[in-house]
Amino acid sequence: MSKGAKSITFYLLMICVFGSLMYFIAKEGEGHQVKDAVSATYDAPKNMQEGFMLFKNLLMLHVESTIGILLLQIITILIAVRIFGWIFLKMGQPTVIGEIVAGIVLGPSVLGHLFPEVSEFLFRPESLANINILSEFGLILFMFAIGMELDIIEVRKKLKETILISHTSTIVPFFFGMLTSYFLYDTYAHKTTPFLSFALFIGIAMSITAFPVLARIIQEKGLTRSHLGTISLASAANGDITAWCLLAVVVAIAQAGTMLSATYNIVFSFLYVMIMFLVIRPFLRVVGHLYHNKEVVNKGLVAFMFLLLIISAYLTEILGLHALFGAFIAGVIMPSNVKFRKIMTEKVEDVSLSLLLPLFFVSTGLRTQIGLLNTPELWGICLIFIVVAIAGKFGGALFSARFVGESWKDSLYIGALMNTRGLMELVVLTIGYEMKILPPSVFVMLVLMTLVTTFMTTPLVSFIDFCFRTREKLANKQILLGGEVFKVLLSFGRASNGQIMLDVANQMFSKGKSKLDITALHLTVGSDVNPLHTDNFEEVSFSPILYEAKKLDIPIKTRYEVSNDAGQDIVEIVNNEGYDFLLVGAALSLSDLPTDIEATKYKDSFYDRYLKRLKAPMSWIYPGALLKDKTKMFIEQTNCPVGVFVNRGFVRATNIIVPLAVPDDLYLVEYVRTLQKATHGNVTFVYKIEESPECEELKNTLTDYMNAEKKVVLLPNVPFTAELLSQYNFMLISYNTWNAISDKRKEALQKMPSTLILSKKKK
């Protein structure tokens, strides 16, 4: 008997023996129970119908249990924030806007108004305590991550350049906020709220800049390494540190009641900050040098860092500064070693941003009752808050930037970016609401102000760019070393593909008449990419292509950006910066790598057909569009020729096949000439063309080319088969011909070599 058969026999024997013994015990035990014993809660069912009713009652009991309701709430919240985040992402907005809106939709303003029974069941008041606690903990982790995103050393380097911008853009809206509160205090503040507390909270609410949202907008616009991006980020970082210190003082004063009674809170808080920076930070600096990679970071160290975070949050909470300030400071004093910070943010962000933080949005949304603004006067006050916030923040940043010598364009950019509030503002408002300083109506107004000022940032930046965009485009040919420059944009996803595509570009264009100017572009898709991680992504992505460029002795430029819509961003770069050729990689659907073949196996499966029936976007589960759709977009929307490269183990184009199906394919001959000069390879033209004057011109051109050049073969009327393609290591094909044969010759194309699909230059 085999080993497997012995295992199965033993397994069945164990089941039978012990199953029989358990049945015997159960039957014997029934003889000892009290006669007519029943369940403590329900009568024993007598038939299947009563059994189903018992099951139903138990099911509802579990659904309505504390943990059942909590899990259902979390499921609902996560689905809602993902949907709304995706919608606003498609609108060109940060996902945080959609997540805030999702919270409002799930609150009394929408769900509670339209479906009160559902809202009462899902978000009953007594069940919200658990959501609030989880959201508070999520905020603590989030503020810890925000603190780690701020590089104090870099902030200090830019302090002289940005201190005027950051502090002016903080104090001006702070003043306008206090001035506005002076006129609103008597009518809209709680009668028991001191004026100073109310005025200070309105002022700080007007002064906040959302550093995380601003950083991601700068990434999306490709401004990270520009002067404008550096100044904006440093100004926002300075402003955030100042604003959070001010908030700590404001909270201390608000809790103590007066400035005099808050003195002790402020003094002890100052001591706490000094200890964190002068005692704890130097120790952590040593830790950062010792533990700078994942291999040596163990659970004990991670536990110690989280313990430090919780202790810091606890100390600021009992000192009256709020736990979030302690979490922020704990993040700021983390070792400046960037690798260590990356490791720690990876530990924190996935849980805090994806799971716990959405609970905060809904927690805020449940407090936001837009129905409280039920008169024109209240909406007028809301409009005043919005205007004051924009005028103070945008205006303060604009004129201070202009004063220190920035151009009008950069000053407007800085004003628009500093006006972003986002999640940071909601944190401030939540603190004020929980402390009973901001009444519900004012809280709603300030939440709406947050939405408007955050929503307007991206359109405003785009509008400023449009207004100042120069009419001169880089499409005008530059002169370099006495020769005309041929500009190629090489856009790649995987690092290894970039290296191979550089070889393709070198072989395709290096022997042309123009000097070759190649820019390698890599886009990371996703606006929620942490700025701490982008340097690592950039280094990993460009290392292979830079190595290859050095080996080939080709000067190339590298360009890294974070994008929400990679395809559209590539088109805009090509058109706005005057490139002569766009070279992009094909989607996974044509890859012959084993992992990619596995990834595309779902196609034409049950799931694929079901998603098509629902008209769901393929990007939901599939990491790339089909080649035909992708190429069509580039060809229709770019102003230059496009080449889509399919990598099938490309090394060198020494044996080239060129299928021709339409007379318009004549433009491929020029590409073939240049390629053959570089590789000295064999070229085979395969064509089957009807008799017409246009076809005669193509045939004559091919014949002349064959007579003029060596290693050129014409194969008219030869079947396009897998056996034919397998003889070559490179294929050049026009987009029109590709469309003509891709559906009819699928089996043949499975054996195709590395391929470059080319579009014709636009007239």
Side-chain angles (χ1 to χ4, degrees), residues 83-313:
I83 291 173
F84 279 88
W86 178 80
I87 291 171
F88 278 81
L89 195 64
K90 290 298 181 183
M91 295 167 60
Q93 291 292 330
T95 54
V96 67
I97 294 290
E99 292 169 346
I100 295 171
V101 172
I104 293 175
V105 168
L106 290 177
S109 301
V110 180
L111 184 65
H113 179 71
L114 299 177
F115 305 100
E117 298 85 2
V118 175
S119 180
E120 175 63 25
F121 171 75
L122 195 56
F123 297 109
R124 62 187 65 166
E126 63 271 17
S127 70
L128 297 181
N130 296 323
I131 288 289
N132 292 337
I133 291 173
L134 286 175
S135 68
E136 289 287 339
F137 192 71
L139 279 180
I140 288 173
L141 294 177
F142 174 73
M143 291 307 300
F144 179 59
I146 294 303
M148 284 193 288
E149 284 188 14
L150 290 176
D151 190 337
I152 295 296
I153 296 175
E154 289 299 320
V155 170
R156 193 181 300 156
K157 287 179 184 177
K158 295 289 182 181
L159 190 61
K160 291 181 180 179
E161 299 176 60
T162 61
I163 190 167
L164 182 62
I165 298 173
S166 59
H167 286 180
T168 302
S169 64
T170 299
I171 197 168
V172 170
F174 200 104
F175 164 75
F176 280 125
M178 291 191 70
L179 182 63
T180 306
S181 66
Y182 174 79
F183 294 101
L184 300 179
Y185 174 72
D186 291 335
T187 308
Y188 295 100
H190 286 303
K191 299 304 179 186
T192 56
T193 302
F195 170 74
L196 183 60
S197 300
F198 181 75
L200 289 175
F201 253 98
I202 297 296
I204 201 71
M206 297 293 171
S207 308
I208 288 291
T209 293
F211 176 81
V213 178
L214 181 144
R216 282 153 180 77
I217 291 174
I218 287 176
Q219 283 179 340
E220 291 170 19
K221 295 295 180 181
L223 302 172
T224 306
R225 284 179 172 76
S226 66
H227 169 73
L228 172 63
T230 304
I231 291 294
S232 300
L233 282 172
S235 298
N238 280 331
D240 257 16
I241 293 171
T242 304
W244 281 100
C245 291
L246 282 174
L247 178 64
V249 175
V250 168
V251 171
I253 293 172
Q255 289 192 339
T258 65
M259 187 66 187
L260 185 62
S261 56
T263 303
Y264 290 103
N265 300 70
I266 295 172
V267 168
F268 280 103
S269 300
F270 180 76
L271 289 175
Y272 150 80
V273 173
M274 289 298 99
I275 292 171
M276 293 294 283
F277 277 91
L278 300 180
V279 179
I280 305 299
R281 192 176 181 220
F283 168 71
L284 293 180
R285 189 181 296 121
V286 176
V287 173
H289 290 304
L290 293 174
Y291 299 91
H292 58 272
N293 60 64
K294 292 182 180 179
E295 188 176 356
V296 296
V297 173
N298 54 36
K299 291 181 180 179
L301 178 64
V302 174
F304 171 74
M305 291 301 174
F306 277 113
L307 180 62
L308 179 65
L309 161 64
I310 300 301
I311 291 174
S312 178

Side-chain angles (χ1 to χ4, degrees), residues 631-674:
T631 311
K632 184 179 180 182
M633 183 197 71
F634 287 136
I635 289 173
E636 290 181 351
Q637 298 185 24
T638 55
N639 298 328
C640 70
V642 177
V644 179
F645 177 64
V646 181
N647 180 26
R648 293 292 183 94
F650 178 80
V651 177
R652 190 168 180 80
T654 55
N655 200 11
I656 307 159
I657 182 171
V658 186
L660 305 171
V662 291
D664 201 39
D665 288 348
L666 188 60
Y667 68 90
L668 291 179
V669 175
E670 288 302 317
Y671 286 106
V672 174
R673 278 200 177 103
T674 306

Side-chain angles (χ1 to χ4, degrees), residues 494 496-497 586-603 622-623 647:
R494 294 175 179 172
S496 57
N497 282 352
L588 299 184
S589 54
L590 288 178
S591 173
D592 62 347
L593 292 176
T595 52
D596 293 342
I597 292 172
E598 287 297 320
T600 55
K601 272 187 176 179
Y602 92 96
K603 194 174 180 304
Y622 190 55
N647 180 26

Side-chain angles (χ1 to χ4, degrees), residues 401-471:
R402 191 76 184 104
F403 182 80
V404 298
E406 298 294 331
S407 66
W408 272 112
K409 180 181 179 181
D410 284 357
S411 299
L412 286 166
Y413 262 126
I414 291 169
L417 292 168
M418 295 292 284
N419 192 46
T420 304
R421 286 175 172 82
L423 175 60
M424 309 297 283
E425 176 76 357
L426 289 188
V427 174
V428 173
L429 298 181
T430 301
I431 293 172
Y433 183 87
E434 290 176 346
M435 293 177 65
K436 308 296 182 185
I437 295 172
L438 299 179
S441 59
V442 174
F443 176 78
V444 172
M445 295 175 191
L446 293 176
V447 169
L448 293 177
M449 179 272 290
T450 303
L451 283 170
V452 171
T453 54
T454 309
F455 187 90
M456 68 183 286
T457 302
T458 301
L460 185 58
V461 168
S462 299
F463 179 71
I464 293 169
D465 182 59
F466 172 78
C467 291
F468 282 88
R469 187 182 301 157
T470 175
R471 296 290 181 181

